[in-house]
Amino acid sequence: MSHGAKNLAALAAFAALVAATPWLLPNDYYLSTLILAFLNAMVVIGLNLLLGYAGQISLGHGAFYGLAAYTTAVLTAAHGWPIGAGCVAGVALTAVVAYVISIPTLKLSGNSLAMATLGFGLIVYIVFNEAIDITGGPSGFVGIPRLALFGHVFESDLEYYFLTGGVLTLLAWAALNLIDSRVGRAMRAIHTSERAAEAAGIDITGAKRFIFVLSAAYAGVAGVLYAHYLSFVAPSSFGFHFSVTLIVMVVLGGMASVWGAVAGAVFLTALPEFLRAFEDVETLLYGAILVLCVIFVPQGIAGGVSRLARALSARLLPARRPHVR
């Protein structure tokens, strides 16, 4: 089976899983958790393209997520813009800001790049808190209308679940196609060695800027959907802690793996919900689980699943023996 056919098969399997899951859940509360997991997965796929494939770390993706959310919130709730226009404006502004930020920051690398993007995230967080007349300040921004597309308002969690699941599938498909394209090969070359990539004729600055802006746009798509789902946004949802959590999702899911990004996002979004029953030791259990995952599955969830599949295949399928006449 060709690589493209495998990608299509994986996408079809994921779409089928998304379609079947609601009917297996005991109540709608789990739907809301999965919706947030899908939104996080959109951001993490974009961040994995930047970190896992291009080797550029960002601690500011929580800010891009929030920038898109606040933009559509203010435009639609305070200025009466159509929801579709507000969503487009949110994603577009996020991409433009990412482009502007990339001009100075992508001249850096490693820890310096991480610190620069962290500084950007902190600045945006402070603006969200201090621009009270626009953002509502620490108390948050309320009254955001529910998402409406082509005259249909997404009122129920089930409708929003299928919407976010469909958008996530499309973004995963786009990421998989990008990885297999010339741009994807350029990203991997840059990750391996920037000097070798430059010697091969790759426009390093252009490629890094493109993937930085694209990863921010992924966060922007998730941000506008988040705002119109909860009808409320607050600075605390987009701070440094969230940006670090996104990095953990990338690493835990599996670097340079689109499906690992999805798995890491779903796992870390759902895990706190399952640990609420252990409220006295919830934080300790959360940390212990992460440590155990890093120790026993160092290549992430995607790498662990791949190793398990190979091991099962080796056990279940008989070894091919040479034919003797």
Side-chain angles (χ1 to χ4, degrees), residues 124-260:
V124 172
Y125 178 74
I126 291 171
V127 171
F128 288 161
N129 275 287
E130 299 299 327
I132 298 175
D133 293 338
I134 300 174
T135 65
S139 299
F141 191 95
V142 298
I144 306 168
R146 296 285 289 187
L147 186 69
L149 297 175
F150 308 109
H152 177 74
V153 180
F154 292 83
E155 294 283 359
S156 70
D157 279 358
L158 183 61
E159 288 182 317
Y160 221 88
Y161 168 84
F162 283 121
L163 173 68
T164 52
V167 173
L168 176 58
T169 303
L170 288 174
L171 292 180
W173 171 78
L176 289 169
N177 279 279
L178 178 70
I179 292 164
D180 289 337
S181 70
R182 184 176 180 181
V183 175
R185 292 190 291 272
M187 289 192 305
R188 290 192 290 273
I190 291 172
H191 191 179
T192 302
S193 171
E194 289 193 14
R195 291 185 177 181
E198 187 175 18
I202 295 173
D203 179 7
I204 294 177
T205 301
K208 288 166 66 174
R209 184 167 296 153
F210 170 78
I211 202 61
F212 188 80
V213 173
L214 180 65
S215 67
Y218 268 58
V221 172
V224 297
L225 292 173
Y226 173 87
H228 290 290
Y229 172 60
L230 293 183
S231 298
F232 169 80
V233 289
S236 57
S237 301
F238 314 112
F240 170 70
H241 179 267
F242 180 65
S243 291
V244 172
T245 301
L246 293 173
I247 296 289
V248 175
M249 288 177 178
V250 171
V251 176
L252 185 63
M255 299 276 281
S257 170
V258 170
W259 299 119

Side-chain angles (χ1 to χ4, degrees), residues 289-307:
I289 290 171
L290 293 185
V291 170
L292 290 173
C293 286
V294 171
I295 292 174
F296 293 104
V297 196
Q299 294 179 329
I301 295 173
V305 171
S306 178
R307 287 173 58 190

Side-chain angles (χ1 to χ4, degrees), residues 54-80:
Q56 310 300 309
I57 190 169
S58 170
L59 289 173
H61 267 56
F64 291 131
Y65 189 54
L67 186 61
Y70 268 103
T71 299
T72 188
V74 172
L75 291 178
T76 56
H79 298 284

Side-chain angles (χ1 to χ4, degrees), residues 30-50:
Y30 294 98
L31 276 181
S32 63
T33 301
L34 284 174
I35 290 169
L36 295 177
F38 286 169
L39 295 175
N40 288 338
M42 296 176 199
V43 188
V44 177
I45 287 176
L47 185 57
N48 206 349
L49 290 175
L50 180 68

